[in-house]
Amino acid sequence: MNDHDSNPGRLRRHELLDEMGLSPQWRLRDTANHLASSLTPQAISASDPPTPAERLVAASEEPSQNQRLQRIARLDWLELAQDTAGCQACGLCQQRRQAVLGVGDTAADWLFIGEGPGAEEDARGEPFVGQAGKLLDAMLQAIGLRRGEDVYIANAVKCRPPKNRTPEIAEIVACHPYLQRQIALLQPRLIVLLGRVAAQALLGEVDTLASLRGRTFSHRTPTGEIPMLVSYHPAYLLRNLTDKAKAWQDLCRARELMREARNGL
Ligand code: URA
């Protein structure tokens, strides 16, 4: 699954514009405040479709949803695995073999977030174990990281969408409390969002990937702010080899952001 599956040609057009120098200018610092203010009702015109974050807020106003959010926000890792295994919050539960919570070091500084499990992940219960996973492992290795060692890997949705289709907004929203809880438990120093769905899940922005790359976002937690950046999904890179150079730029920037985070800059 990747950005192209649901929108054939869409990103390619933007990438073409990018190559021609006609894409939006990248901004190097986007603070939580900027994001938060862009999500206020005043900042969003009535005709704008609600973002996942707004839908989440709306959903949390329903008493039962609110209870679910509060319950998930208190789970530990084991309880989280049990809860996702039995989750029926969206239709993806009907065809999954198992929920795929995530894999790795639960004290990791690095958090990589993808889209959702595919067939192999659904069968094995671990994210990124197919071809895209092999590439992700190679990408990690390129910056001196290894799956499971100071790295945690999760997905925006924990259950495989049928035929590997792109997860729907409602599915991303239903799974959002689990992702939030994973971040809260993990407290990573840096979050790398792989592809548009992961970006949607945490930025609430439905934008092109090209316009999100090169910027630093911030995830606000009760204990501080975690920097986030957006890069290409490995499955996309498997089909668009020329963009691997851009992904490498993103990884180098991620490494730099991690250095800064560790030095408290
Ligand atoms: N693609 C993803 O986004 N996640 C996986 O776990 C596998 C493929």
Side-chain angles (χ1 to χ4, degrees), residues 32-43:
N33 293 344
H34 162 74
L35 245 190
S37 65
S38 74
L39 291 174
T40 60
Q42 295 87 337

Side-chain angles (χ1 to χ4, degrees), residues 1 100 113-118 121 126-130 132-133 153-156 194 233-235:
M1 273 183 299
V100 181
I113 301 176
E115 183 172 317
E121 289 78 18
E126 179 174 335
F128 283 102
V129 289
I153 303 170
N155 278 313
L194 299 168
H233 191 285

Side-chain angles (χ1 to χ4, degrees), residues 36-70:
S37 65
S38 74
L39 291 174
T40 60
Q42 295 87 337
I44 298 164
S45 81
S47 58
D48 285 334
T51 64
E54 291 160 42
R55 284 172 197 249
L56 184 67
V57 170
S60 71
E61 280 158 15
E62 298 165 24
S64 61
Q65 280 297 335
N66 210 359
Q67 280 163 9
R68 176 174 179 256
L69 295 185
Q70 286 177 14

Side-chain angles (χ1 to χ4, degrees), residues 13 15 25 40 44 50 54 81 93 100-101 105-106 134 142 150 152 208 220 222 230 241 255:
R13 194 177 126 260
E15 284 151 18
Q25 292 293 309
T40 60
I44 298 164
E54 291 160 42
C93 65
V100 181
L101 179 62
D105 177 357
T106 52
K134 289 201 178 82
D150 203 19
Y152 190 88
T208 63
R220 200 175 277 170
V230 180
L241 300 181
R255 199 170 44 180

